Amino acid sequence: MAKRSGIFDMIGPVMIGPSSSHTAGVVRIGRVAKRIFGKHLAIESVQITFYNSFARTYEGHGSDRAILAGLLDFKTDDARIKNALDLATQESISYTFKAVGNASIYHPNTVKVEVQGNGRSVEVIGESLGGGVINIASLDDFKADFSASNHTLIIKATDERGVIAFISNILAQENCNIATMSVSRKGKNDLACHVIEMDSGIPQITMDYIRHINWCKELIYIPDIDF
Amino acid sequence: MSFLFDSFEGWKAIIEEKKVSLFQPVIEYEINEKGSEEQSILLGLEKALDVMFDAVDSGLTEDMVSRSGMINNGAKKVYNHGVSVLGENFQKVIARALAAKEVNSCMGRVVAAPTAGASGIIPGVLYTLKDIHSIEKKTLVEALLVSAGIGLIIDNKASLAGAVGGCQAETGSAAAMASGAIVYCLGGDFLQVSNAVGITIQCMLGLVCDPVAGLVEVPCVVRNASAAAIAFSSAQIAMAGVDAVIPVDECIEAMGEIGQSMEERYKETALGGLAATKTGKALSKKILISDIQILGEEEVLPEKPSNKAC
């Protein structure tokens, strides 16, 4: 059964208008892309593609400002969202927007964010599901499917036997419950991506430990995207 | 287990059984379902109230022009106009509901109550009620709890989303929540609150969601004003003890039934109603992005995830 609404779904959320799916949801997707890229890394350039239903209305709904606001790590109720185009330019971020009308394999409200800077590049595809709720469909061409409303752990690792068991065992030792988990890989023995949504966070030392294991190529931790 | 806000009948039964005020089960629901604490619930609602009132004030003082240009400082014009068609308070409630909703259309900060498209109604109503009757903040917060309870029941029995139930689900639900809040603030009992909600829904039934150019501007902004007026007219009727005849739970079910049978073009798709008029279409052509790439059949995007190198 779907999660029951609460009082603050009726009287809330506090948000920047005009639309929860075209503004608040898009800010969240931008923020996830920023966190995956690196919270403290400077973004140099970003290409943003709005698909399907987003393609025609992204300007009118301010989704262009919303996605840049997310990439500037603003929250959904930040009054600066309105000025995000100028603020991104001030931060020396160069940006381009593109609209694609008929990407039928994508959700109606889909946005693709390609971020570059410091020699690093990240590609995130996000879906705005309504009411500000999002799904990150993929990252760097790996299937992801997470909402970013829990604690999310993303681990890129070599495709080896026992990695999933190892990770879940460590999380169990941290008394951390796994809500959802998805694993996809480029190919056999190639790179695999583990996306784990957890009910609680894990300490820095545990993340550092996983990072030092030789199969771990990258570890990203994103706490609840609204905090 | 707490009462799950699936009907007004159940809400009535629980407050009669426990001999509590009608906002009490709403707090208990949130504590049980979300694990919140009473203090943080009340603080959260106080904050929401502040944001609502700030939105009214900024809509009446700051420049409110939307990106499309369709919204252009309407609230201020109404507030300051020399002719009051029905009296000063009427003029003010209309202007205030417009103001908060214009702030939403112009990328300002609002409370979605219950949705962003209906974010002017409860602020306009409560601001005016406080202004006329000097209602204390504590009572206004309790009224928001009552509104939330009403919203939860509509959410369970029908829908709050324009894409599911049309405009009646958004501005209709907000008007119903506002009307219940008015009656609560003025000391009405459960029956009067139920009647106000039922009568409001009766007045809002069937309203379609037909936004011009797909933007939350026309007719959404003016409908926030009319919904606020209907919230007051229904509260006036209900306070006098006039019966809604059709019980509120059944009114909400009717709203759900109408929403289900409404054609897709009237549910936020911008394909019917005002959006499909000659002028609506012309505006849409002028405002919306026209530089859209249409993919050929062969290149309708790679399978995801692809095997492209990382």
Side-chain angles (χ1 to χ4, degrees):
Chain A
M1 195 196 147
K3 208 163 94 179
R4 279 190 180 276
S5 301
I7 291 179
F8 294 101
D9 298 308
M10 299 301 119
I11 308 294
V14 174
M15 57 171 273
I16 299 299
S19 150
S20 54
S21 54
H22 290 70
T23 320
V26 175
V27 172
R28 286 197 174 115
I29 293 171
R31 208 152 188 245
V32 172
K34 168 70 178 162
R35 297 301 175 87
I36 291 175
F37 178 74
K39 193 177 174 185
H40 302 293
L41 276 184
I43 297 174
E44 286 159 18
S45 62
V46 54
Q47 295 80 48
I48 295 144
T49 313
F50 287 104
Y51 292 96
N52 304 339
S53 143
F54 265 178
R56 280 172 72 71
T57 57
Y58 76 80
E59 247 183 35
H61 277 127
S63 312
D64 48 353
R65 299 156 193 239
I67 197 81
L68 287 175
L71 289 164
L72 291 165
D73 212 19
F74 295 173
K75 291 187 195 181
T76 51
D77 66 346
D78 195 317
R80 295 173 296 175
I81 292 172
K82 192 175 180 175
N83 307 317
L85 297 174
D86 293 340
L87 294 170
T89 307
Q90 276 173 31
E91 297 283 320
S92 309
I93 299 174
S94 74
Y95 53 83
T96 58
F97 294 105
K98 199 171 128 186
V100 173
N102 62 335
S104 54
I105 64 158
Y106 286 159
H107 180 274
N109 289 337
T110 295
V111 55
K112 179 165 82 182
V113 187
E114 296 162 276
V115 190
Q116 294 90 26
N118 270 323
R120 178 170 164 78
S121 72
V122 161
E123 181 197 288
V124 172
I125 295 176
E127 305 166 344
S128 188
L129 306 180
V133 178
I134 61 165
N135 178 52
I136 302 299
S138 79
L139 73 98
D140 295 337
D141 279 328
F142 286 105
K143 184 180 169 335
D145 283 332
F146 65 96
S147 68
S149 64
N150 300 310
H151 297 257
T152 310
L153 190 62
I154 299 166
I155 300 173
K156 285 190 192 163
T158 6
D159 176 39
E160 277 177 33
R161 229 170 309 182
V163 171
I164 297 174
F166 190 94
I167 296 171
S168 50
N169 193 14
I170 286 198
L171 295 181
Q173 284 173 28
E174 292 294 352
N175 209 10
C176 177
N177 185 41
I178 295 177
T180 75
M181 178 163 186
S182 79
V183 183
S184 64
R185 63 179 187 184
K186 299 284 182 200
K188 199 173 173 187
N189 299 330
D190 199 340
L191 200 61
C193 183
H194 305 246
V195 179
I196 303 151
E197 291 188 278
M198 311 172 294
D199 289 331
S200 53
I202 53 169
Q204 186 63 41
I205 192 168
T206 308
M207 288 189 267
D208 290 341
Y209 172 52
I210 298 175
R211 274 195 188 104
H212 279 91
I213 302 169
N214 57 2
W215 45 249
C216 179
K217 301 302 167 199
E218 188 179 357
L219 182 147
I220 300 158
Y221 170 61
I222 310 172
D224 180 336
I225 204 61
D226 291 325
F227 287 96
Chain B
M1 200 172 84
S2 63
F3 169 58
L4 292 177
F5 284 86
D6 38 20
S7 70
F8 273 78
E9 209 161 292
W11 194 358
K12 179 168 180 260
I14 196 123
I15 63 166
E16 282 176 356
E17 181 202 317
K18 295 191 171 174
K19 300 198 173 16
V20 290
S21 174
L22 71 175
F23 68 85
Q24 203 60 46
V26 188
I27 295 184
E28 271 157 35
Y29 170 87
E30 189 75 2
I31 291 171
N32 283 319
E33 289 298 309
K34 303 285 162 186
S36 321
E37 285 171 17
E38 178 163 348
Q39 200 54 34
S40 73
I41 296 170
L42 298 177
L43 278 174
L45 288 173
E46 271 184 36
K47 187 193 166 207
L49 198 64
D50 290 343
V51 174
M52 285 180 173
F53 286 2
D54 284 349
V56 171
D57 289 334
S58 9
L60 291 175
T61 50
E62 292 165 24
D63 188 40
M64 287 297 149
V65 181
S66 67
R67 181 88 163 259
S68 74
M70 291 193 291
I71 300 309
N72 187 352
N73 293 306
K76 281 189 282 293
K77 288 175 200 154
V78 173
Y79 197 86
N80 297 321
H81 193 66
V83 179
S84 288
V85 298
L86 207 57
E88 207 183 314
N89 285 325
F90 183 76
Q91 185 175 6
K92 281 182 178 168
V93 69
I94 297 302
R96 286 168 182 150
L98 290 174
K101 180 61 193 70
E102 284 183 1
V103 166
N104 174 64
S105 293
C106 299
M107 296 194 81
R109 189 190 277 129
V110 294
V111 183
T115 60
S119 56
I121 298 161
I122 297 178
V125 164
L126 291 187
Y127 198 116
T128 307
L129 201 65
K130 173 178 165 276
D131 194 32
I132 301 173
H133 298 280
S134 313
I135 312 279
E136 282 176 37
K137 190 159 194 180
K138 181 173 170 285
T139 311
L140 291 171
V141 166
E142 290 167 4
L144 281 181
L145 284 164
V146 173
S147 291
I150 296 165
L152 286 168
I153 295 175
I154 301 175
D155 189 31
N156 280 325
K157 284 177 103 68
S159 171
L160 301 170
V164 178
C167 191
Q168 55 167 4
E170 297 210 19
T171 60
S173 300
M177 291 160 72
S179 189
I182 299 169
V183 173
Y184 176 80
C185 285
L186 298 180
D189 61 13
F190 188 85
L191 182 66
Q192 287 165 311
V193 169
S194 311
N195 275 324
V197 173
I199 291 165
T200 304
I201 288 173
Q202 290 178 13
C203 298
M204 302 291 293
L205 279 183
L207 203 58
V208 300
C209 179
D210 51 353
V212 171
L215 302 178
V216 203
E217 300 185 8
V218 177
C220 322
V221 172
V222 291
R223 279 189 194 158
N224 272 254
S226 60
I230 286 177
F232 273 108
S233 76
S234 305
Q236 185 75 70
I237 296 168
M239 283 300 286
V242 177
D243 187 21
V245 181
I246 306 296
V248 59
D249 284 323
E250 294 175 41
C251 294
I252 297 170
E253 281 156 19
M255 188 166 115
E257 183 241 332
I258 292 169
Q260 270 183 7
S261 60
M262 207 178 263
E263 289 185 34
E264 289 305 313
R265 65 175 191 272
Y266 301 129
K267 293 197 238 185
E268 220 180 292
T269 52
L271 297 171
L274 294 171
T277 56
K278 195 173 121 198
T279 305
K281 283 189 202 157
L283 278 167
S284 167
K285 206 170 165 192
K286 192 175 126 218
I287 295 165
L288 297 183
I289 307 280
S290 50
D291 181 20
I292 295 177
Q293 185 187 347
I294 299 295
L295 302 168
E297 264 180 43
E298 261 98 69
E299 47 165 358
V300 178
L301 297 175
E303 298 278 316
K304 61 166 186 170
S306 78
N307 290 324
K308 203 171 86 183
C310 184

